[in-house]
Amino acid sequence: MQQAPFEEPLAARLPGSPALAKGGGGKLPDSGGEEVPDKVELRGLSLWYGTKRALHDISMRIPRNRITALIGPSGCGKSTLLRCINRMNDLVEDVRIEGEVLLEGEDIHDPDLDVNALRARVGMVFQKSNPFPKSVYENVAYGPRIHGARKRAVLDEIVERSLKGAALWEEVKDRLHESALRLSGGQQQRLCIARALAVEPEVILFDEPCSALDPVATGKIEDLMRELRSEYTMVIVTHNMQQASRVSDFTAFLYMGTLVEHSPTRELFTRPREARTEDYISGRFG
Amino acid sequence: MKAESRRREIPGGGPPGTSKRRILKDRFARILVRLGGMGILASLLGILGYLCLEALPLLSGATVELSPSRRIPGLGPIADLLLGPYARKAVVLGRDGRIRILDLEEGRILQETPALRGEEGKGRAGHVSSGPGFSLVLPGGRIVLRRVEWARRFEEGSTKVDPLLGEETVQETGFERVISSTAVFEKEGGYAVLAQSGTDLRVVFLQRSWEINPLTEERTVRESRKVLESTGSRFLHLALNPSGTHAFGVTEDGRLCWWDLESGEAPRFHEGNLKVSALGILLGGNGLILGGPDGRLSEWFLVRKAGEDFSLLHARDFEPVEGSVRAIRAGHRNRGFLVASDTGELALYYGTTGRCLWRGHAGVQRIGALAMGPKDDAFLAGGEGGEIVRASFRAEHPEAGIGAFFGAIRYEGYDRPSYTWQSTGGSDDFEIKLSLVPLVFGTLKGTFFAMLFSIPLGILGAMFVSQFLHPGIRDLCKPLIEIMASIPSVILGFIAAVWLAPLVESGFAALLAAPVLIGILILGGGATASLLPRSFRRRFPRGFEVIPAMFLVGLGAWFAILLAPALEGSWFGGDFPGWVQETLKVPYEQRNAVIIALAMSFAVIPIIFSISEDAFANVPRSLVSASLALGASRWQTVVRVVLPTASPGIFSAVMIGLGRAIGETMIVLMATGNTPIMDWNPFNGFRTLSANIAVEIPEAPVGGTLYRTLFLSALLLFGLTFCLNTAAEVVRLRLRRRYAEL
């Protein structure tokens, strides 16, 4: 593996890329050319695990109702960046964060912000499917229940809608009260998506959702993500560049904790602006 | 990857020398591990087998070796019989009023003498309720009493036994004719006689005892004579208890009555129509055995119910014999008795348990008298035709039995069946009470109260430490609590008995107030903290809440101690134990279940805490993340995800803690008072199976009933913990299967 030659944050060296312009609630040009409003904006985000710096002054905008893919070699900080958006890094000891993460223009690190409410707005699907050791129904109903839904009819409706939303309803409607652990790996992952959908989030974060799945299951998840695109803003961390190019509208390439390039997906994969990006996507390292 | 690398370790891969050594090592390790496992299993089975082996003889009945009946030349119809030690010699009172000494081994008469010189051929044998001797009723209202004792001498290396006939004593009743009588030979040499007149049906109680002045060797005789009321009934059978305090009679019309000889009051009748053909008094003189012409046998004794006078209670029935009961003879060492019927049937029973130990046939039709050997190891039956049937028997544990251990039994003097453990008493004729039920109860009570404290504290403590506490404090906290488990239980018991018990007695109000006050302070503190602005709260690292909380706990305890005297004064009248006794109407003992709950939780909490903490810590982080990512709070995550997922581990923690509490010995031994009572009242003591073994095994003669009963209770304890652990394992495995795919 080659040592990265950058000494200073990359963003500073990037001349006036419109996608990476600092500050201001701007608009990002879609791959088709239309302007999309921001859902999340990162401003000069840096993160340290103890003394080890994991993210270097990252600024980027995540557009609404689009799929943004984060790609990069292992350990480049893509998952860390993802977890900044719903403050899952709070759970790690000795983490220090600088910079701002704005959700709809609101700083999520505001001391008066309720982190549980934030996480209800920003859902997350993990690398390894992690259904609760409960029934399919209870897994999906878990979120609504903790947010106060009690009535059976309401819960039934949410469960059905979420499972349909996750394209799982037809497969599990007859076994709603069986253990979720009996589902196949792909079904479990879609159940986790349904579980995230049940709390009606605005943003869904996917942390390598297909890394443990076979191609058929992966395809189903990708189809699902495309279907959900119209209603949710999604961010996906993936190792798989084909996946990023298949599902995402925008792709950000991270390397060693810095954001190298952030462009519409087709542009990034066909005409990368940075040599690093080209090296990575053409498989010269990673 | 793993499989591949392992395959490469298998012979052939490495250099030849190392590979062979590797195989040897592998084989050796495998054999060692297998041996270890087998050894554990074998020793477990060995312990179980040994316990069973020691306890099993308890359930055996009596083994009787019955010799065929033999006629001894010159022996006429037998009226009464006494059997000497080793069953070698016997003394017979014949219908002809002559006393004959028999050598049972040679089958001949050694000596023959009239019961009263000069009055041969007259009179008939009187009933003897207890004691070694004969009574003979002569015409003219006279009763002859002949005491029989046994002298041992050593001759030619063996013990010889000779009967010693006491002097002829003629007791005048003052009646012209005696129709029924009974006599008691007292241990010290005196006697007592009860007789009914044939002319006016009066009953007289005569007692004669003597004292020998050890200095002057002067004999002072004390005589007493009491005429008792008979209310005009004619008595078929009379009996006296050995201490001469009560007399019993059965009237012609089948009523049972008794006299209190000390008060001299009129007899009290137990109404009913009893058919009685023989009557006997059990060892101790309280149990009365009635045998009927229909072969029925029943035990009766005097009972004083609370607030009432004595009354006769029909305690139990025994398995009936065939034919009419002719004779009943009580054992000299326990509540056993021998019964003979007119069909020649012989049967051995045990009074307390109601068990029939043995039944057999004498081979002689009409048995007139029975005798029991002084060690209860032999008996003799004498036929009306002068036949003698000798038997040696062994009934090692007659007082044992499933009924004795687990059933409710009407012990002598108890007005209702009860479960009682009382293995030793003040006298030889004490009735042993071996119910294991109060001990099992005590074990469960101690365990229950200990678990009442330990389960919530252990589990919630583990939950707090693993889920909410700052890792820095957690790493300090866990080993500290685990050190608690290493305190020897004898020290815990000692502290509980000597320091804690008096402290709790005097400061119970503080103990009651402390949890309430601490709870209020903690809740109040939490509420105050939540009112503080979020930005202020965020300055403190998460998981350090325990430091102000500990301060509040200390404050609460201090308040409780300060407030205790006032509380005790206003709620409990200034004296909590007294208040318990007066208001709750239950006794307060200093060493009670509350003390045990506190002391035992010191032993049990570390176990429950440690295993549950591991269970909490082993809940996959991914589940916690999933829950938090859905917007659940820490508390919601712990309660709805972590707790259910950790439940198999928590369950086994509780079960292992329970096993520890059941088997715990020293704490309960030292701090319960060891009273084998059955009462859920938390303010009195109890006795557990384990403490009972520890208390009684030093005093139990090896191989005796108590000794074996203790082994049985050990088996029970073993079974209890074994079942519990097995059940726990089954449930744990089932729970784990539910969460297996995590």
Side-chain angles (χ1 to χ4, degrees), chain B residues 11-163:
Chain B
T18 51
S19 134
K20 203 173 246 171
R21 238 173 76 192
R22 215 177 263 172
I23 295 171
L24 273 176
K25 262 187 194 169
D26 186 56
R27 198 167 289 166
F28 178 71
R30 206 176 331 154
I31 289 171
L32 202 71
V33 167
R34 202 168 291 173
L35 271 179
M38 299 269 217
I40 289 169
L41 258 177
S43 54
L44 207 72
L45 284 175
I47 291 171
L48 190 68
Y50 179 66
L51 291 179
C52 287
L53 216 64
E54 287 289 339
L56 211 61
L58 286 173
L59 300 182
S60 62
T63 48
V64 176
E65 270 178 63
L66 203 61
S67 320
S69 72
R70 69 202 283 187
R71 282 204 54 100
I72 291 173
L75 194 64
I78 295 165
D80 207 353
L81 261 178
L82 287 168
L83 182 60
Y86 312 114
R88 285 189 199 135
K89 283 175 184 165
V91 189
V92 176
L93 175 67
R95 284 274 151 93
D96 54 2
R98 293 178 76 83
I99 294 173
R100 294 177 181 86
I101 297 171
L102 307 183
D103 186 320
L104 294 171
E105 272 151 358
E106 291 172 28
R108 64 189 176 89
I109 298 171
L110 293 174
Q111 200 189 330
E112 192 175 333
T113 168
L116 181 64
R117 249 171 280 262
E119 302 267 354
E120 282 153 68
K122 293 179 192 165
R124 57 191 163 78
H127 180 257
V128 177
S129 293
S130 71
F134 297 129
S135 92
L136 191 72
V137 181
L138 291 179
R142 289 170 303 157
I143 295 177
V144 180
L145 297 154
R146 287 300 290 268
R147 202 180 177 85
V148 178
E149 267 158 16
W150 302 89
R152 291 159 203 244
R153 62 195 156 84
F154 291 92
E155 204 173 85
E156 295 155 14
S158 66
T159 315
K160 306 273 181 194
V161 178
D162 291 312

Side-chain angles (χ1 to χ4, degrees), chain B residues 115-116 134-136 138 142-147 166-172 185 189 191 208 210 219 223:
Chain B
L116 181 64
F134 297 129
S135 92
L136 191 72
L138 291 179
R142 289 170 303 157
I143 295 177
V144 180
L145 297 154
R146 287 300 290 268
R147 202 180 177 85
E167 59 185 282
E168 303 161 350
T169 315
V170 181
Q171 177 69 49
E172 297 283 346
F185 292 91
Y191 64 80
R208 183 181 232 194
W210 42 84
R219 206 166 77 158
E223 269 185 276

Side-chain angles (χ1 to χ4, degrees), chain B residues 415-478:
Chain B
D415 61 351
R416 60 177 71 93
S418 77
Y419 300 100
T420 305
W421 172 272
Q422 202 178 351
S423 60
T424 45
S427 62
D428 290 343
D429 56 17
F430 164 76
E431 186 181 33
I432 189 167
K433 301 169 185 75
L434 294 174
S435 178
L436 296 178
V437 176
L439 306 178
V440 173
F441 177 90
T443 302
L444 296 179
K445 180 181 172 185
T447 309
F448 173 77
F449 281 103
M451 295 317 266
L452 213 59
F453 265 64
S454 310
I455 291 177
L457 280 177
I459 294 176
L460 293 176
M463 184 160 129
F464 178 73
V465 167
S466 82
Q467 300 297 314
F468 296 100
L469 201 57
H470 190 271
I473 310 177
R474 179 171 64 211
D475 294 346
L476 192 76
C477 203
K478 208 185 163 200

Side-chain angles (χ1 to χ4, degrees), chain B residues 352 435 505 548 617 653:
Chain B
T352 309
S435 178
E505 189 183 23

Side-chain angles (χ1 to χ4, degrees), chain B residues 253-266:
Chain B
D253 51 354
R255 287 184 301 159
L256 184 61
C257 85
W258 61 280
W259 290 271
D260 182 343
L261 296 174
E262 277 158 354
S263 71
E265 287 165 9

Side-chain angles (χ1 to χ4, degrees), chain B residues 524-558:
Chain B
T528 317
S530 70
L531 290 178
L532 296 172
R534 221 181 276 261
S535 50
F536 176 77
R537 278 188 280 150
R538 282 190 58 167
R539 280 192 224 161
F540 301 97
R542 186 177 287 173
F544 277 104
E545 303 91 339
V546 70
I547 290 165
M550 270 165 72
F551 170 73
L552 290 178
V553 168
L555 202 68
W558 186 58

Side-chain angles (χ1 to χ4, degrees), chain A residues 32-264:
Chain A
E34 71 187 279
E35 301 271 294
V36 184
D38 296 340
K39 183 72 185 176
V40 180
E41 188 182 351
L42 312 179
R43 285 188 189 161
L45 188 70
S46 294
L47 184 141
W48 288 262
Y49 290 122
T51 52
K52 189 177 160 272
R53 192 169 182 180
L55 294 177
H56 293 266
D57 196 19
I58 289 175
S59 296
M60 67 182 279
R61 297 195 201 132
I62 294 165
R64 184 193 299 268
N65 290 10
R66 293 290 179 272
I67 300 174
T68 303
L70 300 176
I71 61 167
S74 296
C76 70
K78 13 181 228 307
S79 287
T80 303
L81 180 62
L82 190 76
R83 294 160 67 90
C84 281
I85 301 171
N86 66 346
R87 282 181 54 184
M88 285 301 272
N89 284 322
D90 288 13
L91 307 175
V92 185
E93 291 305 322
D94 247 4
V95 160
R96 190 160 60 84
I97 296 171
E98 274 177 19
E100 285 179 334
V101 179
L102 304 178
L103 177 65
E104 299 260 316
E106 221 183 307
D107 184 7
I108 66 165
H109 288 111
D110 184 338
D112 286 323
L113 178 126
D114 179 3
V115 68
N116 298 327
L118 166 76
R119 289 183 189 141
R121 291 173 67 191
V122 185
M124 191 166 189
V125 176
F126 295 82
Q127 179 171 6
K128 190 173 166 275
S129 60
N130 53 359
F132 299 126
K134 299 169 189 266
S135 68
V136 171
Y137 182 95
E138 286 302 321
N139 261 280
V140 181
Y142 181 84
R145 276 193 209 276
I146 57 175
H147 294 296
R150 290 273 179 281
K151 282 193 187 124
R152 190 76 194 177
V154 175
L155 287 172
D156 284 349
E157 194 269 322
I158 294 175
V159 168
E160 186 176 340
R161 177 157 43 83
S162 307
L163 285 170
K164 279 179 176 161
L168 195 61
W169 174 252
E170 289 303 317
E171 292 162 62
V172 299
K173 65 181 178 195
D174 299 325
R175 39 201 284 217
L176 286 178
H177 298 286
E178 275 180 38
S179 170
L181 300 173
R182 288 201 204 138
L183 299 179
S184 73
Q187 286 174 327
Q188 287 191 10
Q189 194 61 297
R190 275 182 285 148
L191 178 65
C192 291
I193 296 172
R195 185 173 66 184
L197 295 181
V199 286
E200 293 169 17
E202 298 160 31
V203 180
I204 307 176
L205 309 175
F206 292 85
D207 191 357
E208 301 191 41
C210 304
S211 64
L213 300 182
D214 62 71
V216 176
T218 303
K220 284 189 182 168
I221 302 268
E222 288 175 9
D223 292 345
L224 177 60
M225 287 178 74
R226 275 191 287 271
E227 275 168 38
L228 296 172
R229 181 170 168 268
S230 58
E231 285 176 61
Y232 303 94
T233 304
M234 285 177 273
V235 185
I236 176 170
V237 164
T238 178
H239 253 108
N240 182 334
M241 276 170 287
Q242 278 77 37
Q243 185 172 51
S245 67
R246 279 196 303 266
V247 299
S248 68
D249 304 302
F250 294 92
T251 301
F253 172 53
L254 271 87
Y255 185 70
M256 302 277 296
T258 48
L259 181 64
V260 178
E261 186 168 348
H262 181 202
S263 326

Side-chain angles (χ1 to χ4, degrees), chain B residues 217-389:
Chain B
E217 293 195 353
E218 203 179 326
R219 206 166 77 158
T220 21
V221 178
R222 269 189 294 180
E223 269 185 276
S224 72
R225 182 191 156 88
K226 247 181 227 171
V227 177
L228 308 173
E229 278 182 52
S230 65
T231 62
S233 304
R234 187 184 279 265
F235 291 102
L236 285 182
H237 303 276
L238 289 171
L240 269 171
N241 76 343
S243 52
T245 53
H246 292 96
F248 305 91
V250 182
T251 63
E252 271 180 331
D253 51 354
R255 287 184 301 159
L256 184 61
C257 85
W258 61 280
W259 290 271
D260 182 343
L261 296 174
E262 277 158 354
S263 71
E265 287 165 9
R268 261 158 287 182
F269 286 88
H270 184 276
E271 298 301 330
N273 193 8
L274 298 163
K275 291 188 175 63
V276 178
S277 57
L279 192 141
I281 279 200
L282 289 183
L283 176 73
N286 295 313
L288 199 65
I289 304 290
L290 304 185
D294 48 0
R296 288 212 289 202
L297 289 157
S298 56
E299 184 179 345
W300 299 69
F301 46 70
L302 285 174
V303 159
R304 175 177 245 161
K305 287 185 184 148
E308 285 177 40
D309 205 353
F310 279 109
S311 62
L312 266 173
L313 182 84
H314 180 185
R316 62 182 68 85
D317 287 307
F318 300 90
E319 200 179 300
V321 290
E322 265 176 59
S324 165
V325 177
R326 291 296 304 270
I328 296 169
R329 180 70 86 168
H332 300 292
R333 305 202 148 191
N334 55 37
R335 296 294 188 279
F337 61 93
L338 183 66
V339 170
S341 78
D342 63 354
T343 59
E345 193 177 20
L346 294 169
L348 272 169
Y349 293 92
Y350 195 79
T352 309
T353 56
R355 254 173 100 194
C356 176
L357 302 171
W358 172 83
R359 284 176 79 163
H361 206 278
V364 176
Q365 280 300 319
R366 296 164 60 86
I367 293 168
L370 292 169
M372 190 78 101
K375 286 188 173 167
D376 284 1
D377 54 358
F379 64 81
L380 205 61
E384 305 232 316
E387 307 91 339
I388 289 285
V389 178

